[in-house]
Amino acid sequence: MTKYAFTVELQVKEYDNGDPLAFKMDGHRFDGALRTLKWSTDQTYTVKITTKPATEVTRINVNGNDLDITKEKLGVFSGNWNTAGAEVSKRGTRFPLVFLVDFAPEGQMRVEFQSKVYSKNDSHAVWGHKMNSVEFKCSGDDDGYVKIVDESYK
């Protein structure tokens, strides 16, 4: 039985200029994921989580890195992630980039994004669609894990 139902909005923007992250549509060329998020090396990104109804975010982890979280207001949390040291993806390859978000009391949400890393000044990194946000409709119970019921790109 579902005990919690809530919505999580994820925004990722370049820290320097506030531009939303770019992505491209890949169809089903890679492991069934339809989109590839495009990241640049040596770039700082602001990751923002908004929950409705408001809930506490106790941890945001991107690709194994815990972010220092700022509580902007009730239900809105952000942190910065830097891709320093990330390896540039070879042509035709993708990798899973994992976001872990811990909510209190709902538990942990795990999202895996098909991703590609470009060198810092490669214009391909910013070409394509802009990911203003991704909205996840979630449910959780007392098992400590948040299930994503639906996702939509905005």
Side-chain angles (χ1 to χ4, degrees), residues 1 4 16 25-26 32 39 43 46-47 54 61 68 75 78 88 97 100 118 127 151:
M1 180 176 134
Y4 309 105
D16 298 337
M25 301 301 291
D26 271 330
W39 306 87
Q43 175 70 48
T46 299
V47 175
N61 181 288
D68 289 330
S78 64
V88 174
L97 185 104
L100 298 174
Y118 293 87
W127 287 357
E151 73 173 40

Side-chain angles (χ1 to χ4, degrees), residues 22-91:
F23 70 91
K24 70 184 212 172
M25 301 301 291
D26 271 330
H28 288 281
R29 293 190 323 156
F30 303 93
D31 290 339
L34 298 177
R35 296 169 188 84
T36 297
L37 302 188
K38 299 169 145 197
W39 306 87
S40 293
T41 56
D42 301 314
Q43 175 70 48
T44 300
Y45 294 93
T46 299
V47 175
K48 185 173 174 181
I49 303 281
T50 305
T51 60
K52 290 178 190 160
T55 189
E56 285 294 312
V57 172
T58 58
R59 177 178 176 227
I60 302 172
N61 181 288
V62 182
N63 223 31
N65 300 286
D66 280 336
L67 308 187
D68 289 330
I69 302 173
T70 300
K71 181 176 181 175
E72 295 183 16
K73 60 183 182 186
L74 188 65
V76 181
F77 300 83
S78 64
N80 295 323
W81 178 58
N82 191 297
T83 56
E87 195 174 312
V88 174
S89 304
K90 291 183 174 45
R91 184 184 169 111

Side-chain angles (χ1 to χ4, degrees), residues 4-28:
Y4 309 105
F6 61 108
T7 302
V8 176
E9 182 186 58
L10 169 69
Q11 292 179 314
V12 180
K13 297 183 188 265
E14 287 186 26
Y15 178 78
D16 298 337
N17 58 22
D19 285 351
L21 193 66
F23 70 91
K24 70 184 212 172
M25 301 301 291
D26 271 330
H28 288 281

Side-chain angles (χ1 to χ4, degrees), residues 15 130 148:
Y15 178 78
K130 296 299 182 187
I148 296 171

